[in-house]
Amino acid sequence: GDGFTAGVGVKADEAYPAVLQALMAANGHGIKVVNAGIKGETVQMANERVEWILQQRLSAMLFALGCQEIQSQSPPEQVQATWSSLLSKVRTAYPEIPIFITTPCREAGIFTEPAYYASLMEQFDIRFIPLRINTTEEWWLLDADYLNAKGHTVLAKQLLGAVEPVMTSIQ
């Protein structure tokens, strides 16, 4: 993930991966959520570093990327090819695990649209999680670039609704 995932501006236990793990635990799921977010992360950067996490024992994988590509106005075809390379690496290492992609971005763009991921969903059996990121001040830090603790909690709850049914079936 990117800076949202890393939890820029909030405590580690307030970032949505930690909140998601707490929500899963509260619902009786013994799942460890690893926060591999880096501020400024792009799909290309994730593709270049994914091997380290593939060495872990994984039950599922969630990629939260795409905002940097919107901001830099990256060519959609190039980003699609990079996603394909990244997902190919994951599927080679883990042919059966659930893979989720989401784009927790403040602004909308092609990389936040489910249709953009249709061919990847089909080719790699992934699930795209559309998010509703409120643009009002109550979810954002004062600089308005990153979510505050409340925004992270709302984001974690949205993700929980999408990943919990799948995680329940693989435990």
Side-chain angles (χ1 to χ4, degrees), residues 35-90:
N35 184 342
I38 296 177
K39 182 179 178 183
E41 181 86 305
T42 64
V43 177
Q44 181 63 43
M45 292 165 63
N47 186 39
E48 292 168 1
R49 72 180 187 100
V50 73
E51 284 85 4
W52 77 268
I53 202 156
L54 294 176
Q55 297 173 21
Q56 314 299 314
R57 184 174 167 263
L58 304 175
S59 299
M61 195 157 216
L62 169 66
F63 290 100
L65 298 165
C67 300
Q68 298 300 321
E69 283 76 12
I70 291 172
Q71 291 175 354
S72 67
Q73 299 180 354
S74 299
E77 305 79 23
Q78 179 183 352
V79 176
Q80 186 94 10
T82 305
W83 269 119
S84 184
S85 175
L86 173 60
L87 294 169
S88 180
K89 291 174 185 177
V90 176

Side-chain angles (χ1 to χ4, degrees), residues 4-43:
F4 281 1
T5 303
V8 171
V10 298
K11 297 176 190 167
D13 65 343
E14 295 174 331
Y16 79 81
V19 177
L20 179 60
Q21 180 167 333
L23 292 170
M24 295 286 286
N27 290 350
H29 306 291
I31 294 172
K32 179 180 179 185
V33 177
V34 176
N35 184 342
I38 296 177
K39 182 179 178 183
E41 181 86 305
T42 64
V43 177

Side-chain angles (χ1 to χ4, degrees), residues 13 30 36 47 70 77 80-81 94-95 101 121 123 140 154 156 159 165:
D13 65 343
N47 186 39
I70 291 172
E77 305 79 23
Q80 186 94 10
Y94 287 97
I101 293 178
M121 288 189 281
Q123 182 179 359
W140 298 90
V154 173
L159 292 170

Side-chain angles (χ1 to χ4, degrees), residues 76-150:
E77 305 79 23
Q78 179 183 352
V79 176
Q80 186 94 10
T82 305
W83 269 119
S84 184
S85 175
L86 173 60
L87 294 169
S88 180
K89 291 174 185 177
V90 176
R91 279 290 172 236
T92 297
Y94 287 97
E96 301 297 325
I97 67 168
I99 300 173
F100 302 92
I101 293 178
T102 192
T103 52
C105 305
R106 186 175 178 99
E107 67 266 359
I110 190 168
F111 305 117
T112 63
E113 298 297 323
Y116 177 76
Y117 299 92
S119 65
L120 295 170
M121 288 189 281
E122 184 177 323
Q123 182 179 359
F124 296 102
D125 187 27
I126 63 166
R127 295 161 180 88
F128 179 78
I129 304 171
L131 297 173
R132 295 173 309 283
I133 304 289
N134 190 333
T135 58
T136 61
E137 292 179 13
E138 67 182 299
W139 287 15
W140 298 90
L141 295 171
L142 293 178
D143 67 6
D145 285 336
Y146 291 99
L147 293 169
N148 61 24
K150 181 177 183 177

